[in-house]
Amino acid sequence: AQKVTQAQTEISVVEKEDVTLDCVYETRDTTYYLFWYKQPPSGELVFLIRRNSFDEQNEISGRYSWNFQKSTSSFNFTITASQVVDSAVYFCALSEAGYSTLTFGKGTMLLVSP
Amino acid sequence: GAGVSQSPSNKVTEKGKDVELRCDPISGHTALYWYRQSLGQGLEFLIYFQGNSAPDKSGLPSDRFSAERTGGSVSTLTIQRTQQEDSAVYLCASSRDFDYEQYFGPGTRLTVT
């Protein structure tokens, strides 16, 4: 069975600080997908990224970057120069190929203060 | 384009009543999912529809829960004889096919009194 662990329940930073959200996963499959979603105070889950297990290249999108390391079963998310609008709960999720339902971590609440 | 929509946004019901929650997926998306988000359990998968295949009901917590998807589009989640532990936010998501990213609706907040 698959499992996603987000050990950081809550993180508080001051604006412009960099912050990394950790995600560790467990799966027996060799083909799987990893995701990050953002849930702002408005409540709607917003898709951020999807990565398949065969693509270990790090990805950067503006102030967001993701570090995927199969050796440590981790898919960490870094926000550079954080902003107040980044305040939200961030969820890491996993799906196994051909069985596309998502298994979510418990989420990390990020609070960015001015 | 239009995203996933859900109705109602809020529903308050008395224990023992039946409720129906509706989901309109993104046009053209073949896969549709229901999840539940509650404080104690986090985000849990409930049921998954893919095209004309039989739905994956493995996440439904009891036989009081059922769902259908008509015409490969709109879906309705029905909870019979609601209990207080059913109180949660029910989220619907759709994706263009299985294994693709899922786009979520705003959810229906269900409160059972």
Side-chain angles (χ1 to χ4, degrees):
Chain A
Q2 62 267 42
K3 183 179 177 182
V4 176
T5 301
Q6 294 180 257
Q8 304 150 308
T9 307
E10 195 172 316
I11 301 176
S12 291
V13 298
V14 176
E15 215 171 12
K16 297 184 184 175
E17 282 185 33
D18 298 348
V19 57
T20 295
L21 310 182
D22 297 334
C23 173
V24 173
Y25 62 91
E26 294 175 30
T27 176
R28 294 178 188 166
D29 272 19
T30 55
T31 305
Y32 51 89
Y33 300 89
L34 295 163
F35 304 80
W36 276 95
Y37 283 85
K38 173 182 180 180
Q39 189 173 41
S42 60
E44 194 157 338
L45 277 163
V46 177
F47 166 75
L48 295 178
I49 189 171
R50 166 182 174 265
R51 176 52 53 87
N52 77 55
S53 53
F54 295 108
D55 182 2
E56 284 194 76
Q57 270 195 325
N58 291 333
E59 179 151 343
I60 298 174
S61 175
R63 296 185 297 107
Y64 294 172
S65 62
W66 291 269
N67 180 262
F68 176 28
Q69 292 197 334
K70 287 177 79 168
S71 60
T72 55
S73 297
S74 65
F75 187 44
N76 297 337
F77 173 30
T78 297
I79 302 175
T80 303
S82 60
Q83 300 177 0
V84 172
V85 293
D86 296 327
S87 297
V89 181
Y90 291 86
F91 291 93
C92 181
L94 165 74
S95 71
E96 294 171 341
Y99 186 72
S100 59
T101 60
L102 295 172
T103 297
F104 286 90
K106 295 291 187 186
T108 297
M109 179 178 291
L110 174 65
L111 177 62
V112 183
S113 52
Chain B
V4 177
S5 61
Q6 293 184 245
S7 60
S9 54
N10 278 285
K11 177 72 177 179
V12 180
T13 190
E14 291 180 356
K15 177 181 171 181
K17 301 279 191 185
D18 297 352
V19 295
E20 285 189 352
L21 312 179
R22 177 188 167 104
C23 172
D24 282 272
I26 293 172
S27 177
H29 280 194
T30 62
L32 185 148
Y33 311 78
W34 284 96
Y35 294 85
R36 177 168 73 174
Q37 185 173 26
S38 58
L39 277 176
Q41 301 299 322
L43 276 154
E44 308 172 273
F45 160 71
L46 296 177
I47 187 169
Y48 158 50
F49 297 89
Q50 170 61 44
N52 296 320
S53 303
D56 176 354
K57 305 178 183 180
S58 60
L60 294 178
S62 79
D63 58 10
R64 296 185 296 104
F65 288 72
S66 63
E68 63 177 20
R69 188 178 185 192
T70 53
S73 181
V74 172
S75 176
T76 302
L77 176 69
T78 301
I79 309 173
Q80 296 179 309
R81 304 181 303 281
T82 52
Q83 304 293 313
Q84 287 188 328
E85 61 262 29
D86 300 335
S87 296
V89 177
Y90 289 82
L91 295 165
C92 177
S94 71
S95 66
R96 57 177 163 156
D97 203 343
F98 66 93
D99 287 346
Y100 281 83
E101 59 271 17
Q102 297 174 26
Y103 294 92
F104 283 79
T108 293
R109 180 174 296 278
L110 175 66
T111 304
V112 182
T113 61

